[in-house]
Amino acid sequence: MDNLLEVKDLKIWVAGAARPILVVDGVDLQVRAGSVLGIAGESGSGKSISAQSLIGILGEKFVYEGEIRLEGRLIGDGGEPFAAIRGREISMIFQDPLNSLHPQIQIGKQLTEHAGRSGQDSRKADKRARELLREVRIPDPDWAMKAYPHQFSGGMRQRIAIAMALVGDPKVLIADEPTTALDVTVQAGVLRLIKRLCVERDLGVMIITHDLGVMNAMADDLTVMYAGRVVESGPATQVLQSPRHPYTEQLVGSLPAGPARDGGRARNMRAIAGEPATPRNRPAGCAFHPRCPWAEDRCAVTVPPVEYRGEGRRSACLVDPFFSVDDVRKAAAR
Amino acid sequence: MGVRSSFWLFVIKRLGISVFLLWGVATIMFLAARLVPGDVISVMLGEEAAADPVARQAMIERFGLDRPVPEQYYLHMTNLVQGDFGISMRTRGPVADELARAVPASLELGILAGLISAILGIFLGTLSALQRGKLADQLIRVVTVTGISVPLFWLALVALYVFSFKLQMFPGIGRLSPGVAPPPTATGMYTIDALLAGQLGTFADAFMHLLIPGAVLAVFTMTLITRFTRSAVLEVLNEDYVRTARAKGLTSVRILFAHVLRAAFVPIVTVIGIMFGAVLAGAVLVEEIFNFPGIGQMMFRSAVFLDMPGMIGIGLVVAVIYVGISFVTDILYGVIDPRIRVS
Ligand SMILES: Nc1ncnc2c1ncn2[C@@H]1O[C@H](COP(=O)(O)OP(=O)(O)OP(=O)(O)O)[C@@H](O)[C@H]1O
Ligand code: SF4
Ligand SMILES: [Mg+2]
């Protein structure tokens, strides 16, 4: 299937005390229409920064390089300006719904203030806002239009934020940990909503989460990041069932079997032994080598390239310890 | 649904609190006048007049000083409600008459100073926040540091000397130039009364007389408002909902006005409300230096003369203004921040 959003060799620097620090180092991402791309990785691995760079909302202290294409068209530097893309073609929702809506502006206003550019008049925009509220299952949209964010629960606010992201009829929805701040009981509802919108609207969804259980349930494709680089990507079920990269293997290995009793919290990635590498103190060679049980001498020297591993899968490991002859046979049989 | 009615409930509640506060202040003043050493009559009349039996008797009748304290209290309060603040020991006229002249004079000076400091302060503070660390920010910082450290009386004298005597750009002291007749009294504020009467020449003269003392009075509060606005705007710029606004594709101008400043106004309004004390303190000095017959000057002179009725009158007026301003800020709060109305 064709990629809706394609990111090639994304590099992001952040202004540091002495010189810029490379926080995202050559990330490739592909989002297909009507499917969910999951991004996983420890805290500080550059997930949010990468996502925010795709609509150009990183602050002045960030610089990026790389190719971002939407339906083949180059956007950002040297292409269509982000200002024309944001909210229209690519929308984004954030982690904390309690703070991501303006506390002093009525929901109705927040849902319509960015509709003007598509040439709608205000009555139309109003009607459309109500429809969107209905679509994200907000009870009593007429009342909701006049209400303020503090009059809604966290889950409801996240639904409103999603409705707001849909105003411009975007092709891509980026959700940065959309349920992390929510009560476990409402997480599932919000995730189901995102999945439903993805299918019904043929949206390309990119979802960032710490929760591998969520990944398992939601994601069609999965990209795993470590210290600002992609270490593994591929179809989500395959990556989760038979990881090819030692880091992914450790992440997945920390998943307890069976449904978690607390509804998902325990399935969050368990801390892997050793100090997580951040882009600020990225080890030479393979960034994972100080914590990797398979590490060899060369791992500390050579940066492993991201290599094709068959069936749409890629991973970046010099040793490739989970290589299996079965996989090769299967691949050859195709 | 309940949003509108809960707002009015909030207004009524705050109004009730304001009335209660004023009642408290008036009561405390009543008690204070009776706690001052010496008998009440000499305190209220001054030693000299108190020796005169006729004046003593008039005083006793006026305030019912021979009656029990609760009855005195009742009389005191009814007198106040009717606008009778007693006779000034300093002017020998009713305190109420002097207040009627001084309050509008100070009001027009204070309003001008308030406008100058709020408009300039919010503008400079916002600019400073948006240009954080850059040249404009640093220049504004120099201005505010200077504004806070320069003593007001010095600034007033220098301004008077430079603008009125040296450059002769502005008239000197007072409310009007010699020979200019005050406009017919409607509000007591010369600028507004002149406009109402269509006397443009008088308006210009009164306005020019306000400008220098108004600007001097504005300096201190303007610097504080600049500082507060800068930090409020910087804080709001980091909020998640500003990032959301950007992600929605709003223009940066719209984000600044509709989202950032709107949120930053909550702390700014508080500061402007609190700032009133500073304006009043400044008014005592500035009005004396510019010979501007407002409540600042009246306060200063009443205190110097130990004019008890004058001080009680001024005290009540100041209390009314304070309570009024805090009422207005609270209501403004409720208007700009829907979360406050509910609690
Ligand atoms: N405002 C900032 N200023 C400087 N450096 C930053 C800033 N934001 C992020 N970084 C750097 O970029 C790196 C990646 O941050 P990012 O927020 O993308 O991580 P993340 O993968 O989303 O983590 P989390 O799971 O905690 O959200 C961090 O390690 C941090 O060093
Ligand atoms: S390259 Fe070496 S250190 Fe890195 S994951 Fe593979 S085996 Fe481990
Ligand atoms: Mg993040």
Side-chain angles (χ1 to χ4, degrees):
Chain A
M1 213 189 289
D2 272 354
N3 290 325
L4 184 59
L5 180 69
E6 184 151 21
V7 179
K8 273 199 195 130
D9 203 16
L10 179 69
K11 292 190 170 120
I12 302 172
W13 290 264
V14 60
R19 63 199 157 76
I21 300 160
L22 183 65
V23 286
V24 171
D25 184 10
V27 163
D28 289 354
L29 298 169
Q30 295 88 31
V31 183
R32 294 175 291 135
S35 76
V36 177
L37 167 69
I39 313 258
E42 278 168 316
S43 192
S45 56
K47 307 181 296 290
S48 299
I49 300 288
S50 302
Q52 288 178 30
S53 75
L54 303 183
I55 52 171
I57 57 166
L58 290 174
E60 285 174 354
K61 54 181 192 175
F62 292 88
V63 183
Y64 90 95
E65 198 185 278
E67 210 178 285
I68 308 169
R69 284 185 186 276
L70 181 71
E71 296 178 314
R73 293 170 289 139
L74 187 65
I75 60 174
D77 292 352
E80 271 176 73
F82 285 122
I85 301 293
R86 297 196 264 269
R88 266 181 150 180
E89 313 231 36
I90 306 179
S91 282
M92 186 158 180
I93 59 169
F94 301 95
Q95 174 169 349
D96 187 359
L98 298 187
N99 289 324
S100 57
L101 300 176
H102 198 295
Q104 293 152 253
I105 304 179
Q106 285 176 324
I107 301 299
K109 178 86 186 155
Q110 299 198 50
L111 278 168
T112 51
E113 63 178 340
H114 53 309
R117 297 178 312 166
S118 19
Q120 296 161 306
D121 65 3
S122 72
R123 290 242 330 261
K124 259 197 203 152
D126 238 55
K127 188 159 160 274
R128 172 136 170 73
R130 270 167 238 264
E131 280 167 18
L132 285 171
L133 287 175
R134 224 162 273 132
E135 188 174 347
V136 299
R137 305 279 146 83
I138 296 286
D140 200 353
D142 292 329
W143 176 79
M145 290 287 282
K146 293 196 195 73
Y148 292 90
H150 70 267
Q151 294 168 288
F152 295 89
S153 67
M156 286 295 147
R157 287 192 222 183
Q158 195 60 294
R159 284 167 188 268
I160 292 168
I162 293 171
M164 220 159 78
L166 296 177
V167 166
D169 249 327
K171 303 189 175 89
V172 178
L173 175 69
I174 302 175
D176 190 351
E177 308 200 30
T179 57
T180 313
L182 297 180
D183 221 48
V184 276
T185 51
V186 298
Q187 287 185 356
V190 171
L191 291 170
R192 265 200 304 276
L193 171 66
I194 295 176
K195 185 79 185 176
R196 176 165 65 79
L197 293 170
C198 167
V199 175
E200 286 177 5
R201 294 171 157 259
D202 209 24
L203 265 181
V205 173
M206 183 170 142
I207 191 165
I208 297 172
T209 174
H210 277 124
D211 189 336
L212 286 180
V214 169
M215 282 303 176
N216 205 5
M218 292 274 294
D220 299 300
D221 304 302
L222 179 56
T223 292
V224 182
M225 288 180 66
Y226 189 79
R229 295 182 187 142
V230 171
V231 292
E232 175 156 15
S233 67
T237 38
Q238 294 185 33
V239 173
L240 290 171
Q241 266 164 24
S242 53
R244 272 303 271 273
H245 193 279
Y247 174 65
T248 320
E249 199 267 341
Q250 298 230 332
L251 278 184
V252 175
S254 66
L255 275 181
R261 229 172 273 135
D262 68 350
R265 289 274 149 115
R267 292 178 302 181
N268 281 357
M269 295 177 287
R270 199 195 53 191
I272 298 171
E275 184 86 356
T278 65
R280 285 173 193 280
N281 61 355
R282 188 187 295 111
C286 174
F288 189 53
H289 82 258
R291 306 163 80 189
C292 180
W294 308 89
E296 299 172 1
D297 287 349
R298 57 185 170 143
C299 298
V301 184
T302 314
V303 179
V306 182
E307 284 175 332
Y308 184 68
R309 306 281 194 222
E311 296 174 88
R313 299 188 57 175
R314 283 162 199 283
S315 93
C317 176
L318 298 172
V319 176
D320 195 18
F322 308 115
F323 167 81
S324 87
V325 184
D326 273 2
D327 289 341
V328 179
R329 284 213 191 94
K330 261 193 255 160
R334 301 225 158 162
Chain B
M1 216 166 63
V3 177
R4 192 143 296 254
S5 64
S6 74
F7 177 69
W8 288 111
L9 200 70
F10 164 82
V11 171
I12 291 169
K13 228 165 64 186
R14 285 292 191 276
L15 200 60
I17 293 175
S18 302
V19 171
F20 179 77
L21 277 175
L22 286 178
W23 168 76
V25 170
T27 304
I28 289 171
M29 289 198 157
F30 168 80
L31 294 175
R34 272 144 194 83
L35 287 178
V36 174
D39 76 316
V40 185
I41 301 173
S42 350
V43 170
M44 298 298 283
L45 278 176
E47 296 296 341
E48 211 178 301
D52 174 5
V54 180
R56 275 190 85 90
Q57 193 51 39
M59 189 73 189
I60 286 171
E61 267 160 33
R62 184 184 197 112
F63 289 101
L65 293 177
D66 49 350
R67 317 260 178 79
V69 173
E71 212 177 318
Q72 287 183 32
Y73 175 67
Y74 175 75
L75 259 174
H76 172 84
M77 293 307 253
T78 35
N79 281 344
L80 286 187
V81 170
Q82 287 162 4
D84 183 353
F85 297 91
I87 305 293
S88 161
M89 290 153 49
R90 177 167 50 86
T91 64
R92 299 281 158 204
V95 171
D97 289 0
E98 195 182 358
L99 282 175
R101 283 188 301 272
V103 169
S106 281
L107 218 51
E108 83 184 329
L109 185 63
I111 289 173
L112 183 71
L115 283 178
I116 294 177
S117 54
I119 293 171
L120 265 182
I122 291 172
F123 173 76
L124 291 178
T126 307
L127 184 68
S128 186
L130 295 178
Q131 298 281 311
R132 183 186 192 172
K134 298 188 185 146
L135 185 67
D137 184 25
Q138 273 147 10
L139 286 179
I140 291 168
R141 188 189 309 268
V142 171
V143 170
T144 55
V145 169
T146 317
I148 287 178
S149 14
V150 169
L152 196 61
F153 75 89
W154 183 84
L155 199 65
L157 290 173
V158 168
L160 194 60
Y161 178 74
V162 172
F163 291 108
S164 300
F165 294 101
K166 271 281 176 216
L167 300 177
Q168 309 241 322
M169 280 164 58
F170 287 89
I173 56 179
R175 291 183 77 183
L176 290 171
S177 300
V180 178
T185 306
T187 62
M189 294 185 248
Y190 284 0
T191 47
I192 291 180
D193 288 352
L195 281 183
L196 288 177
Q199 302 171 347
L200 290 183
T202 312
F203 168 79
D205 190 58
F207 187 72
M208 290 306 252
H209 275 84
L210 285 177
L211 214 46
I212 293 294
V216 168
L217 203 48
V219 166
F220 183 70
T221 46
M222 189 270 283
T223 56
L224 288 187
I225 293 172
T226 304
R227 288 289 187 89
F228 271 92
T229 303
R230 181 180 185 274
S231 66
V233 169
L234 278 178
E235 197 164 305
V236 174
L237 281 175
N238 275 326
E239 293 284 354
D240 285 358
Y241 52 78
V242 174
R243 189 178 54 186
T244 305
R246 264 190 282 146
K248 270 159 80 169
L250 299 179
T251 62
S252 37
V253 175
R254 187 169 174 104
I255 294 171
L256 176 65
F257 284 98
H259 291 241
V260 177
L261 284 183
R262 182 169 197 148
F265 264 137
V266 179
I268 295 172
V269 161
T270 325
V271 172
I272 292 179
I274 295 169
M275 213 117 284
F276 175 70
V279 172
L280 199 71
V284 172
L285 269 170
V286 170
E287 289 185 356
E288 195 54 38
I289 290 172
F290 285 88
N291 192 21
F292 195 90
I295 52 174
Q297 194 182 58
M298 184 174 167
M299 194 189 296
F300 177 74
R301 296 192 175 172
S302 299
V304 170
F305 271 80
L306 289 175
D307 175 4
M308 198 52 152
M311 285 196 284
I312 289 183
I314 284 277
L316 278 173
V317 165
V318 170
V320 167
I321 299 176
Y322 254 107
V323 169
I325 288 204
S326 96
F327 173 72
V328 171
T329 14
D330 275 359
I331 297 301
L332 263 181
Y333 242 178
V335 170
I336 54 187
D337 194 346
R339 286 165 300 182
I340 306 225
R341 281 176 232 162
V342 186
S343 54

